[in-house]
Amino acid sequence: MSLRKSVRRRSNWYIYLLTFMIMSLIVSFVIYNIWDFLFPAENLPAMTSSADYRPDASYDTTFLLMLSENKGAVPEYYMLMSYRPGNESIVLVPIKESLYAEVGFSRGTLTTHYGDGGSRGVMLAIQNALGIRTDHYIKFDKDSFIGFLDEAGFTPINIPYDLESEEINFLAGSYEFAGEDLYNYITYPDYGQGEDYRCMVQGLAVAGFINRNSSNLTVPQLQSLFTRILNTTDTNLDFQDFVKNQPAFVFTTQNSFNIADYYIPIGSYDSGGSFFISDTAAATIRDRFGIS
């Protein structure tokens, strides 16, 4: 008799469990189908995505780029770079080292102002001559320039005619230059067409480098390139600048293509060889940089 009672208990327990499972399924099905009625979608907070993000003007930055052959030497080449990620714009302006400016009691070319005040002296000279304040400077030497380019990638270059010198020759044609070839090309001793042509060569080269290598970079790749600049160049950047501007950098690499362009300022020379930028050219640069 105890055996029959034991069997009956197991049978009742099984029926109760099965009934509970069926009822749970029914209740779940009903709740699922009336959920949208009970909790309308318009009452839920809107979700944002990376596609909704665009950097504001607080990320706009102007850089002074400089290049010398040897570390610690006076730069031979200067370039302004305006980075406006919200406008998906990078504008490059090669600046002649013979640009005349006045800084306090110091008067002369950028070479003079670098000798008097280093990179910050050049920043002040450009501010006085062009009405443009630069936020950061980066001074490359030959080794740091080549190393940075080699880590980032190749640069498309089109050479319209043969270039021949005692040490370096370039044949006319289209190329994908690594760092050393690009350095040798943009510092070629004499193109035979004046300094404006050299500025054009440098503007085209740097814009081509940026447009070829700035897309689809990961955060570790961006960080590695930024760290290389910190470790191998003379700069007033620090790692917190990368942290602060990382959202803008990520936006640019994910969304902006062929972002870089260049502008060659016009002007005149005095009898001593100093270059005076025209008022029209200075105003054009400010406009291209988004400076009112």
Side-chain angles (χ1 to χ4, degrees):
M1 180 168 177
S2 62
L3 181 60
R4 285 196 299 271
K5 288 183 180 179
S6 177
V7 172
R8 187 178 297 114
R9 266 190 216 101
R10 285 199 299 269
S11 178
N12 290 341
W13 173 84
Y14 177 79
I15 292 172
Y16 294 151
L17 178 61
L18 183 60
T19 302
F20 175 78
M21 292 174 62
I22 293 173
M23 290 302 298
S24 297
L25 288 173
I26 293 172
V27 171
S28 298
F29 179 78
V30 171
I31 291 176
Y32 175 81
N33 282 276
I34 66 173
W35 183 269
D36 289 339
F37 175 78
L38 294 175
F39 303 100
E42 59 266 23
N43 293 332
L44 298 176
M47 298 296 290
T48 59
S49 68
S50 59
D52 301 317
Y53 173 78
R54 179 172 290 270
D56 60 30
S58 67
Y59 290 100
D60 293 356
T61 310
T62 302
F63 297 88
L64 169 63
L65 309 178
M66 297 172 283
L67 176 61
S68 63
E69 181 176 3
N70 299 310
K71 194 175 185 67
V74 176
E76 293 98 6
Y77 307 102
Y78 301 84
M79 181 178 289
L80 292 179
M81 183 177 78
S82 169
Y83 173 54
R84 293 195 292 156
N87 295 86
E88 300 188 49
S89 171
I90 291 178
V91 179
L92 305 160
V93 180
I95 302 294
K96 297 180 178 69
E97 59 86 22
S98 58
L99 176 70
Y100 179 88
E102 299 181 1
V103 179
F105 295 106
S106 178
R107 294 171 172 80
T109 65
L110 296 187
T111 300
T112 300
H113 292 296
Y114 187 87
D116 290 341
S119 298
R120 295 187 182 277
V122 175
M123 293 170 74
L124 288 173
I126 288 176
Q127 181 173 344
N128 291 344
L130 279 71
I132 295 173
R133 185 182 67 84
T134 52
D135 302 295
H136 299 288
Y137 66 83
I138 305 172
K139 179 179 176 289
F140 292 92
D141 57 66
K142 180 179 179 179
D143 291 340
S144 62
F145 182 82
I146 291 173
F148 180 80
L149 266 64
D150 284 343
E151 179 171 344
F154 293 94
T155 303
I157 293 293
N158 181 58
I159 301 177
Y161 56 88
D162 293 350
L163 297 171
E164 299 180 1
S165 71
E166 294 182 0
E167 299 180 355
I168 300 171
N169 297 323
F170 291 103
L171 298 178
S174 297
Y175 299 91
E176 295 282 328
F177 275 168
E180 185 169 6
D181 287 331
L182 187 64
Y183 175 86
N184 290 334
Y185 178 58
I186 66 174
T187 63
Y188 194 79
D190 185 10
Y191 300 104
Q193 299 198 45
E195 285 304 299
D196 282 344
Y197 185 82
R198 178 180 298 281
C199 289
M200 183 192 73
V201 166
Q202 293 173 350
L204 273 171
V206 177
F209 167 76
I210 293 172
N211 289 333
R212 172 60 60 87
N213 298 293
S214 61
S215 298
N216 300 315
L217 298 176
T218 64
V219 171
Q221 286 175 315
L222 290 168
Q223 181 176 326
S224 178
L225 290 169
F226 195 91
T227 301
R228 176 175 282 276
I229 288 175
L230 295 181
N231 292 338
T232 65
T233 72
D234 174 18
T235 181
N236 64 343
L237 288 164
D238 59 44
F239 192 74
Q240 287 305 311
D241 292 308
F242 175 80
V243 174
K244 180 179 66 176
N245 292 291
Q246 181 177 309
F249 297 153
V250 171
F251 174 87
T252 295
T253 194
Q254 291 181 350
N255 298 280
S256 304
F257 304 95
N258 295 324
I259 188 175
D261 196 6
Y262 70 96
Y263 171 76
I264 308 301
I266 60 174
S268 59
Y269 293 87
D270 67 8
S271 59
S274 295
F275 177 73
F276 292 79
I277 191 169
S278 73
D279 292 339
T280 299
T284 299
I285 297 171
R286 291 193 294 272
D287 181 66
R288 296 285 298 272
F289 282 21
I291 300 172
S292 57

